[in-house]
Amino acid sequence: MSVERKEVLFLVNPFAGGGKAGRVDWQRALASLCADWQVEIARTPDDALTLVTNFCQSGGDLLVVAGGDGTVHTLLPALVHSTTALALCPIGTSNVLARELGYPLGRHALRGCVQAVLAGQGRQIDVGIVRNRPFVLMVSAGLDAHVVRCVPEPLKRSLGVYAFLWTGLQELRRYQPARYRMVLPDKQMEEEAVIVVVANTSRYGWFTTIAPHARIDDGVLDLVWLPAGRGWRRAIWHVFLDVMTGRAGRCPHLRFERAREVRIVAVPAQPAQCDGEPAGETPLSISVLPRALRVIAPSPRAPWRSAV
């Protein structure tokens, strides 16, 4: 993609990366890479959404987000069905969307971002909808959403993804599964479960893969759940190992379905999370908007070790 005569906004979440993003001289960093882009620092989510909404409505060509999945999630209402394309400078906690698209991370993030904008491929990807709110990664209910709700913000800023692992270990001893009804257009299932995930991407968080058959542009959502069978607390370690090593599709403890629409009801009501952010409680009605978001993907994709 050529950026000649294109209007490009480089939006920075200064709190991303544990606050490191706020200490970078982005104008100077971009100048060293010959990128003459408009740079804006968004101090609050509302400021970020206002800036991007105005940019998209004015016909801006390309939004580059320096942040993580939470920043992208905040901006989706402005981007969905707009003519503005999204590119990533992944400096957040988990960077699931960047991993899915093949962006380099870490010290390669900024240079890889500029290279993707200059020579990457335009793609149209799916967006999910829950409670009239768009998401790009997943919605889930159960143990993981409970952990998302419980993680202290200072711990998240200081430990990053490890804050979720630490909190999860603490909450695992206390958490009690719920009875779920999962309603698809052609069937429904009822089962006691520990976690229910409706995924738009194959990756779940960090470099874990929970929905191996999911594709970000296939027009369907992937439903994955962990039944709360006897000894589920022991089984969850097997599940964790399988999703960490790319073997979720062969995990004997996970169940899979695919659909364009899913309704999830739980008794008792369970906490929900959407793209790693708290999203209230069940019940949830979730659907997909096929290819509703324009993105720029690196070409070629970053080597696996550079994108984890």
Side-chain angles (χ1 to χ4, degrees), residues 54-65:
N54 292 338
F55 182 72
C56 293
Q57 290 178 350
S58 69
D61 297 290
L62 177 63
L63 171 70
V64 183
V65 173

Side-chain angles (χ1 to χ4, degrees), residues 102-175:
Y103 277 85
L105 306 183
R107 60 189 178 89
H108 303 290
L110 180 56
R111 187 173 295 275
C113 162
V114 173
Q115 184 60 32
V117 171
L118 294 175
Q121 292 183 335
R123 292 182 61 184
Q124 301 279 143
I125 66 172
D126 301 337
V127 173
I129 296 291
V130 60
R131 295 192 177 122
N132 296 317
R133 176 85 188 186
F135 67 92
V136 74
L137 305 178
M138 90 296 285
V139 171
S140 68
L143 176 60
D144 69 325
H146 174 70
V147 170
V148 166
R149 189 165 65 178
C150 290
V151 172
E153 191 61 32
L155 191 66
K156 180 181 175 181
R157 286 197 297 268
S158 62
L159 297 182
V161 70
Y162 296 104
F164 295 92
L165 297 176
W166 173 256
T167 305
L169 288 173
Q170 308 306 308
E171 297 300 322
L172 181 61
R173 295 174 295 178
R174 296 188 286 267
Y175 185 76

Side-chain angles (χ1 to χ4, degrees), residues 247-259:
R247 299 198 302 263
R250 300 193 298 273
C251 179
H253 303 290
L254 293 176
R255 303 291 181 267
F256 302 91
E257 289 285 348
R258 310 188 82 202

Side-chain angles (χ1 to χ4, degrees), residues 165 168-170 172-173 226 231-245 247 251 253:
L165 297 176
L169 288 173
Q170 308 306 308
L172 181 61
R173 295 174 295 178
L226 170 60
W232 68 264
R233 283 187 174 84
R234 292 191 302 273
I236 206 168
W237 296 107
H238 188 172
V239 173
F240 183 73
L241 180 61
D242 283 344
V243 300
M244 290 283 284
T245 55
R247 299 198 302 263
C251 179
H253 303 290

